[in-house]
Amino acid sequence: LPEPDKTVTDVQLILSNEKELVIGTKKSHILYDKDGQIRVKTEKSTEVMAKNVEISYNQLFVPLGKNSSITFADGTKVWVNAGTRLVYPTTFVKNQREIYVEGEVYLEVAPDKNRPFIVRTDNMQVRVLGTKFNVEGYSDKDDFEVTLMEGSVRVASRIGLGDTLMLKPDSKACLQKDGRLKVIPVDDYNPYRWKEGLICFRNESFLSIMSDLEKYFGVSIVVENKNVLKYYFTGKFRQADGIDYALRVLQRDIRFKYERDDENQIIYIR
């Protein structure tokens, strides 16, 4: 498959025939109907694209600072977070539905007892029949997690010892470096509200919050003021309010200044 151009700051939909659609809006939704027709809906317009004639693979790449969602012909909906690559077949085959994820997605899988839905990452595989869950597996980070909100899923490690387990609601499976899977209870679903346009955090370090802001606003943040690193925060921001609003809210609690280099998309914390 052709690699998406990760220097592009817009969402890219790359079809199996290598035709590429660049989506310039911050939010978008891609809809596949049962006839194979593709509709790309943005805040400004709807574009109808040609049917996929044969089974091959399409790609959706969502850069930092953007988000998108896709509804497959079977009714399954996938919300695609910033910095994520999603690879999926033009048409699901008769015995299973399978996609590949590099990044973070939230799924609401349409039930189909004859066709399990499989999500693959570089290090894990998740198998379901119908459920709601979040998969996080960015290639540039060590964290690989599956969080289950509803239903049940089978999670399998693809590295090391190749651990496998059944996950129950209100819990998440975290991949360890040796390939084992560790189950942790989940009592706060706010972090998964990114699909609603919210950045939520609980007892998170300043540096961790800056990392979130980098992802959701597509900028680099350089922290020069080391005094801020000792602080932890709980709260939420709306992505629509912008990064300046988020930084000004944080300034109410701790003392720091920030300077923007808009030409190079860098923010300095001083």
Side-chain angles (χ1 to χ4, degrees):
L1 290 172
E3 283 283 329
D5 182 357
K6 295 187 178 181
T7 63
V8 174
T9 57
D10 292 320
V11 174
Q12 301 167 67
L13 175 62
I14 305 171
L15 302 182
S16 55
N17 58 9
E18 298 192 13
K19 180 179 179 180
E20 181 177 324
L21 176 67
V22 176
I23 305 170
T25 56
K26 187 172 177 65
K27 293 183 178 181
S28 58
H29 180 65
I30 298 152
L31 176 65
Y32 283 75
D33 65 24
K34 292 183 178 179
D35 296 324
Q37 201 95 48
I38 308 170
R39 287 179 170 80
V40 180
K41 297 183 178 181
T42 69
E43 298 153 345
K44 298 178 180 178
S45 64
T46 297
E47 182 169 345
V48 179
M49 304 184 71
K51 296 180 180 180
N52 288 300
V53 178
E54 57 185 32
I55 297 176
S56 48
Y57 288 87
N58 294 343
Q59 297 184 70
L60 178 65
F61 177 68
V62 180
L64 298 176
K66 300 289 175 69
N67 63 70
S68 187
S69 59
I70 185 167
T71 300
F72 294 119
D74 69 335
T76 293
K77 187 168 183 180
V78 183
W79 287 263
V80 186
N81 207 350
T84 298
R85 178 188 179 208
L86 175 66
V87 180
Y88 55 93
T90 55
T91 305
F92 290 130
V93 295
K94 290 182 178 180
N95 59 343
Q96 71 178 28
R97 300 165 289 171
E98 185 173 1
I99 63 174
Y100 169 79
V101 174
E102 182 183 308
E104 184 172 15
V105 294
Y106 179 95
L107 299 97
E108 292 185 358
V109 176
D112 187 338
K113 63 181 181 180
N114 297 316
R115 291 194 302 170
F117 199 101
I118 297 171
V119 181
R120 292 185 185 271
T121 72
D122 284 343
N123 294 325
M124 286 197 302
Q125 174 179 303
V126 185
R127 182 185 178 95
V128 306
L129 292 175
T131 189
K132 297 179 182 180
F133 63 106
N134 193 88
V135 176
E136 183 175 356
Y138 286 99
S139 59
D140 59 345
K141 294 184 179 180
D142 293 332
D143 298 332
F144 290 88
E145 298 181 354
V146 179
T147 306
L148 182 62
M149 290 73 175
E150 183 180 297
S152 65
V153 299
R154 178 183 287 111
V155 184
S157 167
R158 300 179 66 191
I159 63 171
L161 299 172
D163 208 2
T164 301
L165 57 80
M166 289 295 294
L167 198 60
K168 295 181 179 179
D170 303 321
S171 60
K172 67 180 178 180
C174 303
L175 184 64
Q176 311 297 295
K177 290 184 178 180
D178 63 0
R180 294 182 188 275
L181 293 166
K182 182 180 181 181
V183 178
I184 300 173
V186 175
D187 60 4
D188 179 17
Y189 283 105
N190 278 319
Y192 309 104
R193 297 183 68 188
W194 57 262
K195 68 186 183 69
E196 302 170 35
L198 294 174
I199 306 169
C200 304
F201 43 94
R202 185 169 71 174
N203 197 30
E204 245 185 76
S205 69
F206 185 89
L207 201 58
S208 177
I209 293 170
M210 293 304 103
S211 179
D212 287 342
L213 296 183
E214 285 182 322
K215 177 169 72 173
Y216 291 112
F217 295 106
V219 299
S220 294
I221 299 177
V222 178
V223 180
E224 296 179 345
N225 179 353
K226 304 305 179 186
N227 187 56
V228 301
L229 300 181
K230 63 185 179 183
Y231 293 99
Y232 288 74
F233 299 87
T234 297
K236 61 173 71 79
F237 300 123
R238 286 193 301 264
Q239 293 178 38
D241 289 336
I243 194 167
D244 288 292
Y245 173 81
L247 291 171
R248 286 197 297 268
V249 169
L250 293 173
Q251 282 178 321
R252 296 173 189 169
D253 291 324
I254 59 175
R255 182 174 296 179
F256 70 89
K257 295 180 180 179
Y258 72 91
E259 183 179 322
R260 297 186 62 145
D261 177 355
D262 289 331
E263 184 177 345
N264 296 301
Q265 290 292 291
I266 300 174
I267 294 177
Y268 296 92
I269 305 294
R270 292 172 170 154

